[in-house]
Amino acid sequence: YSHIPVILLTAKTNIQSKIEGMELGADAYIEKPFSVEYLHACASNLIQNREKLRQALEQARAADRAKSYFLATVSHELRTPLNAVIGFSELLQGADVEPQEQQEYLGSINFAGNALLNLINDVLDLSRLEADQVELDCRPVDVKRLVREIVGVFKQKAVEKNLSLQMTYTNLPPTLYLDDLRIKQILLNLTGNALKFTHDGGVTVSAVFRLAEEAGQGTLIFSITDTGIGILPEKISQIFEPFVQDSGVRGHRIYEGSGLGLAISKRLVEKMGGKLSAESTPGKGSTFTVRLENVKYQ
Ligand code: ADP
């Protein structure tokens, strides 16, 4: 009956009896003369507290399960490229490896090594964010230039996939106070995804600034819109969780990536006091929006 609160009702008023009662496991002790109202208040308080405790315990257990799942997934994800490194280096040690094969194996080792490094960096980044160990470093940033840089990074990729890649700006002041490296990280992730999951049409990166009532501040909104494969409505809330990818089937991957990008971006945007959201129509495309309030400008 551990979930049922026990209230001792008694005519004994000496302190020793009270102590004994509590030691036997009572949650409360009520002496004569009894009041039904008081008993009722006492009982409902105890029940409410128990419910709060139960919920806290359930949350702690869920967090624990999530951590175990995370660790298991990280280990699994580390194993695949590590096996490639070991397998191909063993092949290289073989007696008669043609020079061309050597180059191929070295290429595979290099690819797997880079994948490992990216995964470990992402895991570290996410852990630091979850432990609230990430400090933002805000400085004056020319957002137009920043967006141009992001688009520059992906120009070649867009040309290769025969996609358009455009940028638009509205009302941007010359400088905004932001952590430029972290903003870049977020925009690289979102723009990279947009291009990755689009096969027809293109991607637009836009930045809009709206003045707030308070002088010297405003709302900065980045949106990354694509005409890609889109995301199913039931999946859209899950994609910000670590390791959720494509159709949700790990190991059958059509697209490269660690599955941590959006989890990191979301936490970073939240660290900045903002919101990252997604809207999508399967088969038509998606829009990811970063909304940052109270951004200072000059
Ligand atoms: P990764 O891209 O490394 O798989 P992310 O966390 O960046 O990891 O994205 C998680 C998943 O969300 C992707 O695997 C994909 O299924 C979905 N996704 C993200 N962006 C888009 C997009 N623009 N269009 C369609 N699906 C997307």
Side-chain angles (χ1 to χ4, degrees):
Y1 299 108
S2 63
H3 57 289
I4 300 176
V6 176
I7 302 174
L8 269 182
L9 295 166
T10 175
K12 287 189 181 169
T13 54
N14 66 63
I15 194 77
Q16 199 49 42
S17 308
K18 276 190 184 178
I19 293 171
E20 261 171 45
M22 294 314 251
E23 279 175 355
L24 280 170
D27 296 290
Y29 191 103
I30 302 179
E31 295 162 9
K32 263 187 169 177
F34 304 135
S35 138
V36 174
E37 285 80 13
Y38 182 68
L39 176 63
H40 192 258
C42 208
S44 66
N45 235 347
L46 284 169
I47 289 169
Q48 270 172 27
N49 286 344
R50 246 154 230 252
E51 180 53 22
K52 274 186 209 145
L53 261 178
R54 199 192 56 73
Q55 281 172 3
L57 193 67
E58 187 43 49
Q59 267 173 16
R61 285 197 183 126
D64 202 44
R65 280 196 296 273
K67 282 275 175 293
S68 304
Y69 173 75
F70 184 77
L71 268 182
T73 317
V74 170
S75 317
H76 173 87
E77 296 285 312
L78 288 174
R79 206 154 37 185
T80 316
L82 265 177
N83 275 332
V85 171
I86 294 168
F88 284 112
S89 54
E90 276 171 7
L91 282 176
L92 272 177
Q93 284 170 333
D96 36 45
V97 189
E98 301 283 324
Q100 199 200 331
E101 278 175 328
Q102 272 184 12
Q103 288 309 312
E104 255 173 53
Y105 297 162
L106 283 172
S108 301
I109 291 175
N110 192 273
F111 184 82
N114 276 315
L116 272 176
L117 187 64
N118 285 338
L119 177 62
I120 290 171
N121 282 338
D122 278 355
V123 168
L124 274 176
D125 229 12
L126 189 64
S127 316
R128 286 206 195 102
L129 276 162
E130 299 227 312
D132 203 13
Q133 283 173 350
V134 170
E135 292 298 326
L136 295 175
D137 181 14
C138 290
R139 47 175 121 217
V141 180
D142 177 349
V143 171
K144 254 186 216 175
R145 214 170 112 183
L146 191 141
V147 173
R148 248 183 262 138
E149 269 178 51
I150 304 287
V151 168
V153 170
F154 292 107
K155 222 180 202 147
Q156 186 56 30
K157 175 120 199 152
V159 170
E160 279 166 20
K161 289 188 78 175
N162 205 11
L163 299 173
S164 69
L165 178 55
Q166 295 180 354
M167 46 194 164
T168 68
Y169 323 101
T170 312
N171 209 15
L172 283 183
T175 43
L176 285 158
Y177 285 80
L178 296 164
D179 185 329
D180 55 339
L181 290 181
R182 292 301 191 172
I183 291 281
K184 256 189 214 165
Q185 184 181 356
I186 296 164
L187 296 182
L188 283 173
N189 170 235
L190 297 178
T191 315
N193 277 347
L195 284 166
K196 186 158 68 170
F197 297 104
T198 302
H199 308 296
D200 260 319
V203 174
T204 304
V205 182
S206 63
V208 177
F209 191 71
R210 287 196 202 127
L211 292 180
E213 297 219 330
E214 211 166 318
Q217 293 192 0
T219 305
L220 176 63
I221 303 166
F222 292 106
S223 8
I224 294 87
T225 303
D226 66 55
T227 56
I229 59 171
I231 305 158
L232 293 172
E234 64 267 26
K235 284 228 59 184
I236 211 151
S237 61
Q238 292 171 22
I239 57 172
F240 298 103
E241 297 299 319
F243 294 120
V244 174
Q245 290 187 310
D246 322 325
S247 50
V249 197
R250 280 193 306 112
H252 293 271
R253 216 168 285 157
I254 325 164
Y255 301 98
E256 278 167 28
S258 70
L260 291 177
L262 283 180
I264 294 174
S265 292
K266 182 172 192 311
R267 284 160 180 79
L268 272 177
V269 173
E270 283 167 0
K271 175 87 194 162
M272 295 171 179
K275 261 200 178 137
L276 171 61
S277 57
E279 276 175 49
S280 185
T281 312
K284 287 241 157 71
S286 319
T287 297
F288 282 78
T289 308
V290 177
R291 192 186 170 92
L292 301 170
E293 311 280 351
N294 307 330
V295 180
K296 297 200 171 57
Y297 73 95
Q298 238 175 16

